[in-house]
Coordinates of all heavy atoms in Angstrom, one line a residue:
M1 N 204.1 125.7 147.8 CA 205.3 125.5 148.6 C 206.1 126.7 148.6 O 206.4 127.3 147.5 CB 206.0 124.3 148.0 CG 207.2 123.9 148.8 SD 207.9 122.4 148.1 CE 209.4 122.4 149.0
R2 N 206.6 127.1 149.7 CA 207.5 128.3 149.8 C 208.9 127.9 149.6 O 209.4 126.8 150.0 CB 207.3 128.9 151.2 CG 205.9 129.5 151.4 CD 205.8 130.2 152.7 NE 204.6 131.0 152.7 CZ 204.1 131.5 153.8 NH1 204.8 131.5 154.9 NH2 203.0 132.2 153.8
T3 N 209.7 128.8 149.0 CA 211.1 128.6 148.8 C 211.9 128.9 150.0 O 211.7 130.0 150.6 CB 211.6 129.5 147.6 OG1 210.8 129.3 146.5 CG2 213.0 129.3 147.3
P4 N 212.7 128.0 150.5 CA 213.5 128.3 151.7 C 214.6 129.4 151.3 O 215.0 129.5 150.2 CB 214.2 127.0 152.0 CG 214.1 126.1 150.8 CD 213.0 126.7 149.9
L5 N 214.9 130.2 152.3 CA 215.9 131.2 152.2 C 217.2 130.5 152.5 O 217.4 130.0 153.6 CB 215.6 132.4 153.1 CG 214.3 133.1 152.9 CD1 214.1 134.2 153.9 CD2 214.1 133.6 151.5
T6 N 218.2 130.6 151.6 CA 219.4 129.9 151.8 C 220.6 130.8 151.5 O 220.5 131.8 150.7 CB 219.6 128.7 150.9 OG1 219.4 129.1 149.5 CG2 218.5 127.6 151.2
N7 N 221.8 130.5 152.0 CA 223.0 131.2 151.8 C 223.6 130.5 150.5 O 223.9 129.3 150.5 CB 223.9 131.0 153.0 CG 225.2 131.8 152.8 OD1 226.0 131.5 151.8 ND2 225.5 132.7 153.7
A8 N 223.9 131.3 149.5 CA 224.4 130.7 148.3 C 225.8 130.2 148.4 O 226.2 129.2 147.7 CB 224.4 131.8 147.2
K9 N 226.6 130.7 149.3 CA 227.9 130.2 149.5 C 228.0 128.9 150.2 O 228.8 128.0 149.9 CB 228.8 131.3 150.2 CG 229.0 132.5 149.3 CD 229.8 133.6 150.0 CE 229.9 134.8 149.1 NZ 230.5 135.9 149.8
T10 N 227.2 128.7 151.3 CA 227.2 127.5 152.1 C 226.1 126.6 151.8 O 226.2 125.4 152.1 CB 227.1 127.9 153.6 OG1 225.9 128.4 153.9 CG2 228.3 128.8 154.0
G11 N 225.0 127.1 151.2 CA 223.8 126.2 150.9 C 223.0 126.0 152.1 O 221.9 125.4 152.1
A12 N 223.4 126.6 153.3 CA 222.6 126.4 154.5 C 221.4 127.3 154.5 O 221.4 128.4 153.9 CB 223.5 126.8 155.7
R13 N 220.4 126.8 155.1 CA 219.1 127.6 155.2 C 219.4 128.7 156.2 O 220.0 128.5 157.2 CB 218.0 126.7 155.7 CG 217.5 125.8 154.7 CD 216.4 125.0 155.4 NE 215.2 125.0 154.5 CZ 214.1 124.3 154.7 NH1 214.1 123.5 155.7 NH2 213.1 124.4 153.9
T14 N 218.9 129.9 155.8 CA 219.1 131.0 156.7 C 218.0 131.0 157.8 O 218.2 131.6 158.9 CB 219.0 132.4 156.0 OG1 217.7 132.4 155.3 CG2 220.1 132.5 155.0
S15 N 217.0 130.3 157.6 CA 215.9 130.0 158.6 C 214.9 129.1 157.9 O 215.1 128.6 156.8 CB 215.2 131.3 159.0 OG 214.5 131.8 157.9
G16 N 213.8 128.8 158.7 CA 212.8 127.9 158.1 C 212.2 128.4 156.9 O 212.1 129.6 156.6
A17 N 211.7 127.5 156.0 CA 211.0 127.9 154.8 C 209.8 128.8 155.2 O 209.1 128.5 156.1 CB 210.6 126.7 154.0
G18 N 209.7 129.9 154.5 CA 208.5 130.7 154.7 C 208.6 131.6 156.0 O 207.6 132.0 156.5
D19 N 209.8 131.9 156.5 CA 210.0 132.7 157.7 C 209.9 134.1 157.3 O 210.8 134.7 156.7 CB 211.3 132.3 158.3 CG 211.5 133.0 159.6 OD1 210.7 133.9 160.0 OD2 212.5 132.7 160.3
P20 N 208.8 134.8 157.7 CA 208.7 136.3 157.4 C 209.8 137.1 158.0 O 210.2 138.1 157.5 CB 207.3 136.6 157.9 CG 206.6 135.4 158.1 CD 207.6 134.3 158.3
D21 N 210.2 136.7 159.2 CA 211.3 137.5 159.9 C 212.6 137.4 159.1 O 213.3 138.4 158.9 CB 211.5 137.0 161.3 CG 210.4 137.3 162.2 OD1 209.6 138.3 161.9 OD2 210.2 136.6 163.2
A22 N 212.9 136.2 158.5 CA 214.1 136.1 157.7 C 214.0 136.9 156.4 O 214.9 137.5 156.0 CB 214.4 134.6 157.4
A23 N 212.8 136.9 155.8 CA 212.6 137.7 154.6 C 212.7 139.2 154.9 O 213.4 139.9 154.1 CB 211.2 137.4 154.1
A24 N 212.2 139.6 156.0 CA 212.4 141.0 156.4 C 213.9 141.4 156.7 O 214.3 142.4 156.2 CB 211.5 141.4 157.6
A25 N 214.6 140.5 157.3 CA 216.0 140.7 157.6 C 216.8 140.8 156.3 O 217.7 141.7 156.1 CB 216.5 139.7 158.5
L26 N 216.5 139.9 155.4 CA 217.1 139.9 154.1 C 216.8 141.2 153.3 O 217.7 141.8 152.7 CB 216.7 138.7 153.3 CG 217.5 138.5 152.0 CD1 219.0 138.4 152.2 CD2 216.9 137.3 151.3
A27 N 215.6 141.7 153.4 CA 215.2 142.9 152.7 C 215.9 144.1 153.3 O 216.3 145.0 152.6 CB 213.7 143.1 152.7
L28 N 216.0 144.1 154.6 CA 216.8 145.2 155.3 C 218.2 145.2 154.9 O 218.8 146.3 154.6 CB 216.6 145.1 156.8 CG 215.3 145.5 157.4 CD1 215.2 145.1 158.8 CD2 215.0 147.0 157.2
S29 N 218.8 144.0 154.7 CA 220.2 144.0 154.2 C 220.3 144.5 152.8 O 221.2 145.2 152.4 CB 220.7 142.5 154.3 OG 220.8 142.1 155.7
A30 N 219.3 144.1 152.0 CA 219.3 144.6 150.6 C 219.1 146.1 150.6 O 219.7 146.8 149.7 CB 218.1 143.9 149.8
L31 N 218.3 146.6 151.4 CA 218.1 148.1 151.5 C 219.4 148.8 151.9 O 219.8 149.8 151.2 CB 217.0 148.5 152.5 CG 216.9 150.0 152.8 CD1 216.5 150.7 151.5 CD2 215.8 150.2 153.9
A32 N 220.2 148.2 152.8 CA 221.5 148.8 153.2 C 222.4 148.7 152.0 O 223.1 149.7 151.7 CB 222.1 148.0 154.3
W33 N 222.3 147.7 151.2 CA 223.2 147.6 150.0 C 222.8 148.6 149.0 O 223.6 149.3 148.4 CB 223.0 146.2 149.4 CG 223.9 146.0 148.2 CD1 225.2 145.5 148.2 CD2 223.5 146.2 146.8 NE1 225.7 145.5 146.9 CE2 224.7 145.9 146.0 CE3 222.4 146.6 146.2 CZ2 224.7 146.0 144.6 CZ3 222.4 146.7 144.8 CH2 223.5 146.4 144.1
V34 N 221.5 148.8 148.8 CA 221.0 149.9 147.8 C 221.5 151.2 148.3 O 222.0 152.0 147.5 CB 219.5 149.8 147.7 CG1 219.0 151.1 147.0 CG2 219.0 148.6 147.0
L35 N 221.3 151.5 149.6 CA 221.6 152.8 150.1 C 223.1 153.1 150.2 O 223.5 154.3 150.4 CB 221.0 153.0 151.5 CG 219.5 153.0 151.5 CD1 219.0 153.1 153.0 CD2 218.9 154.1 150.6
S36 N 223.9 152.1 150.0 CA 225.4 152.3 150.0 C 225.9 153.0 148.8 O 227.1 153.4 148.7 CB 226.1 151.0 150.2 OG 226.0 150.2 149.0
D37 N 225.1 153.2 147.8 CA 225.4 153.8 146.5 C 224.4 155.0 146.3 O 223.2 154.7 146.2 CB 225.4 152.8 145.4 CG 225.7 153.5 144.1 OD1 226.9 153.5 143.7 OD2 224.8 153.9 143.4
D38 N 225.0 156.2 146.2 CA 224.1 157.4 146.1 C 223.2 157.3 144.8 O 222.0 157.6 144.9 CB 224.9 158.7 146.0 CG 225.5 159.0 147.3 OD1 225.0 158.5 148.4 OD2 226.5 159.8 147.3
D39 N 223.7 156.8 143.7 CA 222.9 156.7 142.5 C 221.7 155.7 142.7 O 220.6 156.0 142.3 CB 223.7 156.4 141.3 CG 224.6 157.5 140.8 OD1 224.3 158.7 141.2 OD2 225.6 157.2 140.2
R40 N 222.1 154.5 143.2 CA 221.0 153.5 143.5 C 220.0 154.0 144.5 O 218.8 153.8 144.3 CB 221.6 152.2 144.0 CG 222.1 151.3 142.9 CD 222.4 149.9 143.5 NE 223.3 149.9 144.6 CZ 224.6 149.6 144.6 NH1 225.2 149.3 143.4 NH2 225.3 149.7 145.7
A41 N 220.5 154.7 145.5 CA 219.6 155.2 146.5 C 218.6 156.2 145.9 O 217.4 156.2 146.2 CB 220.3 155.8 147.7
G42 N 219.1 157.1 145.1 CA 218.3 158.1 144.4 C 217.2 157.5 143.5 O 216.1 157.9 143.5
R43 N 217.7 156.5 142.8 CA 216.7 155.8 141.9 C 215.6 155.1 142.7 O 214.4 155.1 142.4 CB 217.4 154.7 141.0 CG 218.1 155.3 139.9 CD 218.6 154.3 138.8 NE 219.2 153.1 139.3 CZ 220.6 153.0 139.6 NH1 221.4 154.1 139.2 NH2 221.1 151.9 140.0
L44 N 216.0 154.5 143.9 CA 215.0 153.8 144.7 C 214.0 154.8 145.2 O 212.8 154.5 145.1 CB 215.7 153.2 145.9 CG 214.7 152.6 147.0 CD1 214.0 151.4 146.5 CD2 215.5 152.3 148.3
L45 N 214.4 155.9 145.7 CA 213.4 156.9 146.2 C 212.6 157.5 145.0 O 211.4 157.6 145.2 CB 214.2 158.1 146.9 CG 214.9 157.7 148.1 CD1 215.7 158.9 148.7 CD2 214.0 157.1 149.2
T46 N 213.2 157.7 143.9 CA 212.4 158.2 142.7 C 211.4 157.2 142.3 O 210.2 157.5 142.1 CB 213.3 158.5 141.6 OG1 214.2 159.6 142.0 CG2 212.5 159.0 140.3
L47 N 211.8 155.9 142.1 CA 210.9 154.9 141.6 C 209.8 154.5 142.6 O 208.7 154.1 142.2 CB 211.7 153.7 141.1 CG 212.5 154.0 139.9 CD1 213.4 152.7 139.5 CD2 211.7 154.3 138.7
T48 N 210.1 154.5 143.9 CA 209.1 154.1 144.8 C 208.2 155.2 145.3 O 207.2 155.0 145.9 CB 209.8 153.5 146.1 OG1 210.6 154.4 146.7 CG2 210.5 152.2 145.8
G49 N 208.7 156.5 145.0 CA 207.9 157.6 145.5 C 208.1 157.9 147.0 O 207.4 158.8 147.5
L50 N 209.0 157.2 147.6 CA 209.2 157.4 149.1 C 210.2 158.6 149.3 O 211.2 158.7 148.5 CB 209.8 156.2 149.7 CG 208.9 155.0 149.9 CD1 209.7 153.7 150.2 CD2 207.8 155.3 150.9
A51 N 209.9 159.4 150.3 CA 210.9 160.4 150.7 C 211.8 159.8 151.8 O 211.3 158.8 152.4 CB 210.1 161.6 151.3
P52 N 213.0 160.3 152.0 CA 213.8 159.7 153.0 C 213.1 159.5 154.4 O 213.3 158.5 155.0 CB 215.0 160.6 153.1 CG 215.1 161.2 151.7 CD 213.6 161.4 151.3
G53 N 212.4 160.5 154.8 CA 211.7 160.4 156.1 C 210.6 159.3 156.1 O 210.5 158.6 157.1
D54 N 209.9 159.2 155.0 CA 208.9 158.1 154.9 C 209.6 156.8 155.0 O 209.1 155.9 155.6 CB 208.2 158.2 153.5 CG 207.3 159.4 153.4 OD1 206.9 160.0 154.5 OD2 207.1 159.9 152.3
L55 N 210.7 156.6 154.3 CA 211.4 155.4 154.3 C 211.9 155.0 155.7 O 211.7 153.9 156.2 CB 212.7 155.4 153.4 CG 213.5 154.2 153.2 CD1 212.6 153.0 152.7 CD2 214.6 154.4 152.3
R56 N 212.4 156.0 156.5 CA 212.8 155.7 157.9 C 211.6 155.3 158.7 O 211.7 154.4 159.5 CB 213.5 157.0 158.4 CG 214.9 157.1 158.1 CD 215.6 158.2 158.9 NE 215.1 159.6 158.5 CZ 215.5 160.3 157.5 NH1 216.4 159.8 156.7 NH2 215.0 161.5 157.2
E57 N 210.5 156.1 158.6 CA 209.3 155.8 159.4 C 208.7 154.5 159.1 O 208.1 153.8 160.0 CB 208.3 156.9 159.2 CG 208.7 158.2 159.8 CD 207.7 159.3 159.5 OE1 206.5 159.0 159.2 OE2 208.0 160.5 159.6
R58 N 208.7 154.0 157.9 CA 208.0 152.8 157.5 C 208.9 151.6 157.2 O 208.5 150.6 156.7 CB 207.2 153.2 156.2 CG 206.2 154.3 156.4 CD 205.5 154.6 155.1 NE 204.8 153.5 154.6 CZ 204.4 153.3 153.3 NH1 204.7 154.2 152.5 NH2 203.8 152.2 152.9
L59 N 210.1 151.7 157.7 CA 211.1 150.7 157.5 C 210.7 149.3 157.8 O 211.1 148.3 157.2 CB 212.4 151.1 158.2 CG 213.7 150.5 157.8 CD1 213.9 150.7 156.3 CD2 214.8 151.1 158.6
G60 N 209.9 149.1 158.8 CA 209.5 147.8 159.3 C 208.2 147.2 158.6 O 207.8 146.1 158.8
E61 N 207.7 148.0 157.7 CA 206.4 147.6 157.0 C 206.8 146.6 155.9 O 207.6 146.9 155.0 CB 205.7 148.8 156.4 CG 205.1 149.7 157.5 CD 204.4 150.9 156.8 OE1 203.9 150.8 155.6 OE2 204.2 151.9 157.5
P62 N 206.1 145.4 155.9 CA 206.4 144.5 154.8 C 206.2 145.0 153.4 O 207.0 144.7 152.5 CB 205.3 143.4 155.1 CG 205.1 143.5 156.5 CD 205.1 144.9 156.8
A63 N 205.3 145.9 153.2 CA 205.1 146.5 151.8 C 206.3 147.3 151.4 O 206.7 147.3 150.2 CB 203.8 147.3 151.8
V64 N 206.9 148.1 152.3 CA 208.0 148.9 152.0 C 209.2 148.0 151.7 O 210.0 148.2 150.8 CB 208.3 149.9 153.1 CG1 209.7 150.6 152.9 CG2 207.2 150.9 153.2
L65 N 209.4 147.0 152.5 CA 210.5 146.0 152.3 C 210.3 145.3 151.0 O 211.3 145.1 150.3 CB 210.6 145.1 153.5 CG 211.0 145.7 154.8 CD1 210.9 144.7 156.0 CD2 212.3 146.4 154.8
A66 N 209.1 144.9 150.7 CA 208.9 144.3 149.4 C 209.2 145.2 148.2 O 209.7 144.8 147.2 CB 207.4 143.8 149.3
A67 N 208.9 146.5 148.4 CA 209.1 147.5 147.4 C 210.6 147.6 147.1 O 211.1 147.8 146.0 CB 208.6 148.9 147.8
V68 N 211.4 147.5 148.2 CA 212.9 147.5 148.0 C 213.3 146.4 147.1 O 214.1 146.5 146.2 CB 213.6 147.5 149.3 CG1 215.1 147.3 149.2 CG2 213.3 148.8 150.1
L69 N 212.8 145.2 147.4 CA 213.2 144.0 146.6 C 212.6 144.1 145.2 O 213.3 143.6 144.3 CB 212.8 142.7 147.4 CG 213.5 142.5 148.7 CD1 212.9 141.3 149.4 CD2 215.0 142.4 148.6
T70 N 211.5 144.6 145.0 CA 210.9 144.8 143.7 C 211.8 145.7 142.9 O 212.0 145.5 141.7 CB 209.5 145.3 143.8 OG1 208.6 144.4 144.5 CG2 208.9 145.6 142.4
Y71 N 212.3 146.8 143.5 CA 213.2 147.7 142.9 C 214.4 146.9 142.4 O 214.8 147.1 141.2 CB 213.6 148.8 143.9 CG 214.8 149.6 143.5 CD1 214.8 150.5 142.5 CD2 216.1 149.3 144.0 CE1 215.9 151.2 142.1 CE2 217.2 149.9 143.6 CZ 217.1 150.9 142.7 OH 218.2 151.6 142.3
L72 N 215.0 146.1 143.2 CA 216.1 145.3 142.8 C 215.8 144.4 141.6 O 216.6 144.2 140.7 CB 216.7 144.5 143.9 CG 217.5 145.3 145.0 CD1 217.9 144.4 146.2 CD2 218.7 145.9 144.3
E73 N 214.6 143.8 141.7 CA 214.2 142.9 140.6 C 214.0 143.6 139.3 O 214.2 143.0 138.2 CB 212.9 142.2 140.9 CG 213.0 141.1 142.0 CD 211.6 140.5 142.3 OE1 210.9 140.1 141.4 OE2 211.2 140.6 143.5
S74 N 213.8 144.9 139.3 CA 213.5 145.6 138.1 C 214.8 145.9 137.3 O 214.7 146.3 136.1 CB 212.8 147.0 138.4 OG 213.7 147.9 139.0
Y75 N 216.0 145.7 137.9 CA 217.2 145.8 137.2 C 218.1 144.7 137.6 O 218.8 144.7 138.6 CB 217.9 147.2 137.5 CG 219.1 147.5 136.7 CD1 219.1 147.6 135.3 CD2 220.3 147.6 137.4 CE1 220.2 147.9 134.6 CE2 221.5 147.9 136.7 CZ 221.4 148.1 135.3 OH 222.6 148.3 134.6
E76 N 218.1 143.6 136.7 CA 218.8 142.4 137.0 C 220.2 142.5 137.5 O 220.7 141.8 138.4 CB 218.7 141.4 135.9 CG 219.2 140.0 136.2 CD 218.9 139.0 135.1 OE1 218.4 139.4 134.1 OE2 219.3 137.8 135.4
P77 N 221.1 143.4 136.8 CA 222.4 143.5 137.3 C 222.5 143.9 138.8 O 223.4 143.4 139.5 CB 223.0 144.6 136.4 CG 222.2 144.5 135.1 CD 220.8 144.2 135.6
D78 N 221.7 144.8 139.3 CA 221.7 145.1 140.7 C 221.2 144.0 141.5 O 221.7 143.7 142.6 CB 220.8 146.4 141.0 CG 221.5 147.7 140.7 OD1 222.7 147.7 140.4 OD2 220.8 148.7 140.7
L79 N 220.2 143.2 141.1 CA 219.7 142.1 141.8 C 220.8 141.1 142.0 O 221.0 140.6 143.1 CB 218.5 141.5 141.1 CG 217.9 140.2 141.7 CD1 217.2 140.5 143.0 CD2 216.9 139.5 140.7
V80 N 221.5 140.8 140.9 CA 222.6 139.8 141.0 C 223.7 140.3 141.9 O 224.2 139.5 142.7 CB 223.1 139.4 139.6 CG1 224.3 138.6 139.6 CG2 221.9 138.7 138.8
A81 N 224.1 141.5 141.7 CA 225.2 142.1 142.5 C 224.8 142.1 144.0 O 225.7 141.8 144.9 CB 225.6 143.5 142.0
C82 N 223.6 142.5 144.3 CA 223.2 142.5 145.7 C 223.2 141.2 146.3 O 223.7 140.9 147.4 CB 221.8 143.2 145.8 SG 221.1 143.2 147.5
A83 N 222.6 140.2 145.6 CA 222.6 138.8 146.1 C 224.0 138.3 146.3 O 224.3 137.7 147.4 CB 221.9 137.9 145.1
E84 N 224.9 138.6 145.4 CA 226.3 138.1 145.6 C 226.9 138.8 146.8 O 227.6 138.1 147.6 CB 227.1 138.5 144.3 CG 228.5 138.0 144.4 CD 229.3 138.3 143.1 OE1 228.8 137.8 142.0 OE2 230.3 139.0 143.2
D85 N 226.8 140.1 147.0 CA 227.3 140.8 148.1 C 226.7 140.3 149.5 O 227.4 140.3 150.5 CB 227.2 142.3 148.0 CG 228.1 142.9 147.0 OD1 229.0 142.2 146.5 OD2 228.0 144.1 146.8
L86 N 225.5 139.9 149.4 CA 224.8 139.4 150.6 C 225.0 137.9 150.9 O 224.6 137.3 151.9 CB 223.3 139.7 150.6 CG 222.9 141.2 150.5 CD1 221.4 141.3 150.5 CD2 223.5 141.9 151.7
G87 N 225.7 137.2 149.9 CA 226.0 135.8 150.1 C 224.7 134.9 149.9 O 224.6 133.9 150.5
T88 N 223.9 135.4 149.0 CA 222.7 134.6 148.7 C 222.5 134.5 147.2 O 223.3 134.9 146.5 CB 221.4 135.2 149.5 OG1 220.4 134.3 149.4 CG2 221.0 136.6 148.9
R89 N 221.3 134.0 146.8 CA 221.0 133.9 145.4 C 219.9 134.9 145.0 O 219.1 135.2 145.9 CB 220.5 132.5 145.0 CG 221.5 131.4 145.3 CD 221.0 130.1 144.9 NE 219.6 130.0 145.4 CZ 219.0 128.9 145.9 NH1 219.8 127.8 146.1 NH2 217.8 128.9 146.3
P90 N 219.9 135.4 143.8 CA 218.8 136.3 143.3 C 217.4 135.7 143.6 O 216.5 136.4 144.0 CB 219.1 136.5 141.8 CG 220.6 136.2 141.7 CD 220.9 135.2 142.7
E91 N 217.3 134.4 143.4 CA 216.0 133.7 143.6 C 215.6 133.8 145.1 O 214.4 133.9 145.4 CB 216.1 132.2 143.2 CG 216.5 131.9 141.8 CD 218.0 131.9 141.6 OE1 218.8 131.4 142.5 OE2 218.5 132.5 140.6
T92 N 216.5 133.9 146.0 CA 216.2 134.0 147.4 C 215.6 135.4 147.7 O 214.7 135.5 148.4 CB 217.4 133.7 148.3 OG1 217.9 132.4 147.9 CG2 217.1 133.8 149.7
L93 N 216.2 136.4 147.0 CA 215.6 137.8 147.2 C 214.2 137.9 146.6 O 213.4 138.5 147.2 CB 216.6 138.8 146.5 CG 217.9 139.0 147.1 CD1 218.8 139.8 146.2 CD2 217.8 139.6 148.5
V94 N 214.0 137.2 145.5 CA 212.7 137.2 144.9 C 211.7 136.5 145.8 O 210.6 136.9 145.9 CB 212.7 136.5 143.4 CG1 211.4 136.3 142.9 CG2 213.6 137.4 142.5
A95 N 212.1 135.3 146.3 CA 211.2 134.6 147.3 C 210.9 135.4 148.5 O 209.8 135.4 149.0 CB 211.9 133.3 147.7
A96 N 211.9 136.2 149.0 CA 211.6 137.1 150.1 C 210.6 138.1 149.8 O 209.7 138.4 150.6 CB 213.0 137.7 150.6
R97 N 210.7 138.7 148.6 CA 209.8 139.7 148.2 C 208.4 139.1 148.1 O 207.4 139.7 148.7 CB 210.2 140.3 146.8 CG 209.3 141.5 146.4 CD 208.3 141.2 145.3 NE 208.7 140.3 144.3 CZ 208.0 139.3 143.8 NH1 206.8 139.1 144.3 NH2 208.4 138.6 142.9
A98 N 208.2 138.0 147.6 CA 206.9 137.3 147.5 C 206.3 137.1 148.9 O 205.2 137.3 149.1 CB 207.0 136.0 146.7
M99 N 207.2 136.6 149.8 CA 206.8 136.4 151.2 C 206.3 137.7 151.8 O 205.3 137.7 152.5 CB 207.9 135.7 151.9 CG 207.5 135.1 153.2 SD 208.9 134.3 154.0 CE 209.6 133.4 152.7
L100 N 207.1 138.7 151.6 CA 206.7 140.0 152.3 C 205.4 140.6 151.7 O 204.6 141.2 152.4 CB 207.8 141.0 152.1 CG 209.1 140.7 152.9 CD1 210.3 141.5 152.4 CD2 208.8 141.0 154.4
E101 N 205.2 140.4 150.4 CA 203.9 140.8 149.8 C 202.7 140.1 150.4 O 201.6 140.7 150.3 CB 204.0 140.6 148.3 CG 204.9 141.6 147.6 CD 204.9 141.5 146.1 OE1 204.6 140.4 145.6 OE2 205.3 142.4 145.4
H102 N 202.9 139.0 150.9 CA 201.8 138.2 151.5 C 201.8 138.2 153.0 O 201.0 137.4 153.6 CB 201.8 136.8 150.9 CG 201.6 136.8 149.4 ND1 202.6 136.7 148.5 CD2 200.4 137.0 148.7 CE1 202.1 136.7 147.3 NE2 200.8 136.9 147.3
A103 N 202.6 139.0 153.6 CA 202.7 139.0 155.1 C 201.6 139.8 155.6 O 201.1 140.7 155.1 CB 204.1 139.6 155.5

């Protein structure tokens, strides 16, 4: 059973359970959150091995989006802060990563 993507503040589903488009949109929002801080952005590029140009070119690939969420999962304080800023739960980001890995 797939975990529905929900808004933590309202409890409303952001889309249907298992919606890859919603998972990708959430991952893109998470990427914007990561890139809003130079230190986090630098760590993302270092840990994923992506160059800025590669990231731009491959932005729509599920594997790249999943890597962004995996990066957040690797440091729980960032995962929690990102989820809070995006108005969702950390578990929703984890579910989105799992969905993207199987897309």
Side-chain angles (χ1 to χ4, degrees):
M1 181 175 173
R2 293 184 172 171
T3 304
L5 303 178
T6 58
N7 181 302
K9 293 179 183 173
T10 65
R13 286 179 129 170
T14 57
S15 71
D19 182 354
D21 291 336
L26 186 58
L28 286 170
S29 294
L31 175 60
W33 184 86
V34 169
L35 296 178
S36 71
D37 179 88
D38 290 340
D39 290 337
R40 272 194 308 259
R43 283 193 312 271
L44 171 71
L45 295 175
T46 298
L47 293 174
T48 62
L50 289 168
D54 294 333
L55 183 58
R56 278 189 292 278
E57 288 176 21
R58 300 179 58 202
L59 201 52
E61 293 180 22
V64 171
L65 296 174
V68 170
L69 296 175
T70 298
Y71 163 79
L72 286 172
E73 286 179 54
S74 71
Y75 185 63
E76 187 175 4
D78 278 351
L79 177 68
V80 171
C82 178
E84 184 176 301
D85 284 353
L86 297 180
T88 192
R89 298 182 318 223
E91 302 85 41
T92 304
L93 292 170
V94 172
R97 189 255 320 136
M99 193 178 313
L100 289 165
E101 285 181 340
H102 297 99

